[in-house]
Amino acid sequence: MAMGSLSKLSYPRRLFLWLLGYSLLLVGCFVLFQYHREKQFKAEELNARLQLINTYILNQIDKGYEVSQIKLDGFNLIDDLRVSVITQEGKVVYDNSLDSLPNSNHLNREEIQQAVLKGAGYTVRRHSESVGDYYFYSAKKGSTGYIVRTAVPYSISLSTLLQADYHFLWVMGIVSIVMCVLGYFATRRVGLHIMRLNKFASDVEKGTTISDTEPFPNDELGSISNHIVRLYAKLQQAYAERDNEHNAALHEQLEKERIKKQLTNNINHELKTPVASIRVCIETLLAQKKLSEEKREMFLQRCLANTDRLQRLLSDVSLITRLDDGRECIAKEPINLTKIIDDVVDDRQLIAKQKGIVIENCVTRNIAMSGNALLMETVFNNLIDNAIAYSGGTIIRIEIQYFDDKKVVLSLCDNGCGVPNEHLSRIFERFYRVDKGRSRAAGGTGLGLSIVKNAVMLHGGSITAENRNTGGLLFNITLPLA
């Protein structure tokens, strides 16, 4: 019966079919076991008869008789009884069924191996290489080391003798029928109760009021299982959501602590250089009273430059800390991004011109969005300053790549040297520098691009960087407008 047809049956009938299958399997296993056991019993009975002959022959050999002289008249002999005598080295020294003795070693025969190890053994059906027929072998080892083996041909009569008795099969068949009848009534009763219990579970899930006198209507065991699973799944989902929220909050807290610790270590490292430089300059000025005005001016300018660097570093650290911890405190309002970009470009044109760089602003379409004007100004200030300081190119270009009602994609690129690919994925990390010596010489704090990324993310956007095929670095900035 197909599984689809089986599923259409009522639960009591399916329960009965499962019980019937189980009963038949159990009876079948018992029948096979009993059948094998009875065959084994008859084989052992035949072996016992042959072992009596083996024992008698071994006793006669011990008394000094030749095997050919031993008479077996006192035994109820089986037709064509074959008698062999084998030494403990496996050599056949006597065989009443052969004209010439075989030269092959018989220690690899199963019955011989058993006789050597256990004193006696037998094989139910094995082909004889010497005679060419199948035999039932029985072997026994004597105290002198000789092994006597008797064998009878495995003919139709012997095969019939070793067959099990089939009368018990009929008995087991009748028992199986009785079990099926009793099982039908038992499963029908249990099945009806389970079907009623299934409906009760369904009503509980729906919130239906259950009275003590209300009978349980019909349904199936599979359905009640589904109801229990659904209830458990809802509870499990609630626990999973709670655990996920807890783990996410814990992970966020640990990540913040890790970033703060890393930031503190990096700030400490970054402060050492300008502070040490300022200290050296001041100590030199104090120690060398007779320095020329030119030298004094040089040391004071160096102090001022390092002071500016410290001020920029503290300003950037303050800003990035604010982005990390005070996101909810950063006010957003309607802003005109196009005007912000125009102002930044105008402010940076002079610095760019001094280095022979042209800034091309191709953003002419009005971009209105909700955001923080100061942060968006910082984004484009840092990107342009970064290109001016490190690109080594001659053109910086800003343009719109995509625009619709929901988002805008802006690009800022240069035609400079770009960034080695092994560094490209890390340029937004805090204090990460591609060329540390060049970056410090240019007065960079190592936080500019990190501030850019965090400011863009705070506005719900994203930023990526890639090397252009024609040379230079390309930033793609995606910002939501809705």
Side-chain angles (χ1 to χ4, degrees), residues 319-330:
L319 179 55
I320 201 165
T321 303
R322 186 180 169 203
L323 289 173
D324 283 341
D325 296 336
R327 290 172 177 264
E328 63 279 356
C329 299
I330 297 176

Side-chain angles (χ1 to χ4, degrees), residues 395-467:
I395 298 175
I396 300 173
R397 184 181 180 89
I398 307 172
E399 59 185 338
I400 298 175
Q401 296 293 336
Y402 179 82
F403 188 95
D404 62 15
D405 295 337
K406 294 184 178 180
K407 69 178 180 179
V408 61
V409 180
L410 298 166
S411 68
L412 187 149
C413 64
D414 60 68
N415 64 342
C417 59
V419 173
N421 289 329
E422 63 268 22
H423 298 287
L424 194 59
S425 62
R426 301 187 62 187
I427 61 174
F428 292 108
E429 294 181 13
R430 300 173 185 188
F431 295 106
Y432 187 81
R433 294 182 173 93
V434 176
D435 187 341
K436 296 183 179 180
R438 184 183 174 194
S439 178
R440 287 196 174 94
T445 64
L447 291 173
L449 291 181
S450 181
I451 290 173
V452 168
K453 182 177 181 180
N454 279 272
V456 170
M457 291 174 61
L458 183 138
H459 284 81
S462 62
I463 182 170
T464 59
E466 60 185 74
N467 286 311

Side-chain angles (χ1 to χ4, degrees), residues 105-120:
N105 193 301
H106 278 50
L107 287 180
N108 61 346
R109 274 46 170 191
E110 184 178 354
E111 68 280 359
I112 302 298
Q113 291 178 353
Q114 293 179 17
V116 171
L117 294 175
K118 302 178 182 179

Side-chain angles (χ1 to χ4, degrees), residues 43-52 121-122 136-138:
E44 290 175 353
E45 185 180 17
L46 177 59
N47 176 59
R49 292 173 58 187
L50 294 177
Q51 288 292 359
L52 289 175
Y122 70 92
F136 180 102
Y137 291 94
S138 178

Side-chain angles (χ1 to χ4, degrees), residues 127-194:
H127 184 263
S128 172
E129 297 178 1
S130 304
V131 180
D133 291 329
Y134 287 92
Y135 281 84
F136 180 102
Y137 291 94
S138 178
K140 186 176 181 64
K141 182 180 179 182
S143 58
T144 58
Y146 284 104
I147 300 171
V148 174
R149 183 183 68 181
T150 52
V152 292
Y154 198 90
S155 59
I156 297 177
S157 59
L158 181 59
S159 176
T160 304
L161 174 66
L162 295 178
Q163 288 293 327
D165 186 8
Y166 288 99
H167 288 105
F168 81 97
L169 295 178
W170 291 103
V171 175
M172 293 306 301
I174 296 173
V175 171
S176 299
I177 294 174
V178 174
M179 289 176 61
C180 291
V181 172
L182 296 176
Y184 172 76
F185 289 105
T187 54
R188 182 173 179 274
R189 181 177 180 181
V190 173
L192 290 176
H193 280 290
I194 292 178

Side-chain angles (χ1 to χ4, degrees), residues 32 84 96 102 105 113 133 143 157 183 194 202 253 262-263 284 307-308 311 335 343 360 398 443 450 481:
L32 289 176
S84 304
N96 67 344
N105 193 301
Q113 291 178 353
D133 291 329
S143 58
S157 59
I194 292 178
S202 177
Q253 182 64 27
Q262 185 183 46
L263 183 62
T284 302
T307 303
D308 289 340
Q311 186 176 2
I335 60 174
D343 293 341
E360 295 181 354
I398 307 172
S450 181
L481 300 179

Side-chain angles (χ1 to χ4, degrees), residues 157-416:
S157 59
L158 181 59
S159 176
T160 304
L161 174 66
L162 295 178
Q163 288 293 327
D165 186 8
Y166 288 99
H167 288 105
F168 81 97
L169 295 178
W170 291 103
V171 175
M172 293 306 301
I174 296 173
V175 171
S176 299
I177 294 174
V178 174
M179 289 176 61
C180 291
V181 172
L182 296 176
Y184 172 76
F185 289 105
T187 54
R188 182 173 179 274
R189 181 177 180 181
V190 173
L192 290 176
H193 280 290
I194 292 178
M195 290 171 66
R196 292 169 60 194
L197 181 61
N198 182 25
K199 185 60 171 67
F200 172 81
S202 177
D203 291 339
V204 169
E205 185 183 26
K206 295 175 182 176
T208 306
T209 304
I210 305 297
S211 64
D212 294 338
T213 58
E214 182 181 0
F216 295 133
N218 272 339
D219 214 329
E220 296 185 2
L221 182 60
S223 179
I224 186 174
S225 299
N226 289 332
H227 292 318
I228 294 173
V229 168
R230 278 197 294 270
L231 288 171
Y232 179 76
K234 289 179 181 179
L235 182 61
Q236 190 179 45
Q237 184 179 3
Y239 281 128
E241 290 175 355
R242 183 201 64 183
D243 292 341
N244 288 337
E245 291 176 0
H246 175 74
N247 291 335
L250 181 61
H251 176 75
E252 184 178 357
Q253 182 64 27
L254 292 175
E255 186 66 14
K256 283 184 177 180
E257 292 176 2
R258 185 190 68 80
I259 291 174
K260 284 182 179 179
K261 184 177 180 180
Q262 185 183 46
L263 183 62
T264 302
N265 292 335
N266 287 332
I267 290 172
N268 181 55
H269 179 74
E270 292 295 327
L271 287 174
K272 287 181 179 179
T273 301
V275 169
S277 180
I278 292 172
R279 182 182 180 88
V280 168
C281 291
I282 293 175
E283 288 177 347
T284 302
L285 289 171
L286 292 173
Q288 303 293 330
K289 302 292 185 180
K290 296 181 180 182
L291 282 175
S292 63
E293 287 297 323
E294 183 181 352
K295 289 286 186 179
R296 292 176 65 85
E297 179 71 18
M298 181 191 70
F299 282 117
L300 289 173
Q301 288 292 340
R302 187 177 296 176
C303 285
L304 181 61
N306 281 285
T307 303
D308 289 340
R309 182 179 173 187
L310 281 175
Q311 186 176 2
R312 287 193 301 272
L313 177 60
L314 293 174
S315 177
D316 286 349
V317 169
S318 175
L319 179 55
I320 201 165
T321 303
R322 186 180 169 203
L323 289 173
D324 283 341
D325 296 336
R327 290 172 177 264
E328 63 279 356
C329 299
I330 297 176
K332 292 182 181 180
E333 58 185 0
I335 60 174
N336 189 327
L337 188 59
T338 304
K339 185 177 184 310
I340 292 174
I341 295 174
D342 287 340
D343 293 341
V344 171
V345 171
D346 290 342
D347 184 59
R348 291 295 185 271
Q349 284 290 10
L350 180 59
I351 300 174
K353 188 175 181 181
Q354 291 174 351
K355 294 194 175 185
I357 298 174
V358 176
I359 304 176
E360 295 181 354
N361 182 12
C362 302
V363 180
T364 57
R365 186 169 182 174
N366 187 57
I367 304 174
M369 61 177 290
S370 175
N372 185 281
L374 182 60
L375 284 180
M376 294 312 301
E377 181 181 338
T378 302
V379 167
F380 288 95
N381 267 331
N382 285 345
L383 289 174
I384 293 175
D385 287 346
N386 189 76
I388 291 173
Y390 309 117
S391 71
T394 58
I395 298 175
I396 300 173
R397 184 181 180 89
I398 307 172
E399 59 185 338
I400 298 175
Q401 296 293 336
Y402 179 82
F403 188 95
D404 62 15
D405 295 337
K406 294 184 178 180
K407 69 178 180 179
V408 61
V409 180
L410 298 166
S411 68
L412 187 149
C413 64
D414 60 68
N415 64 342

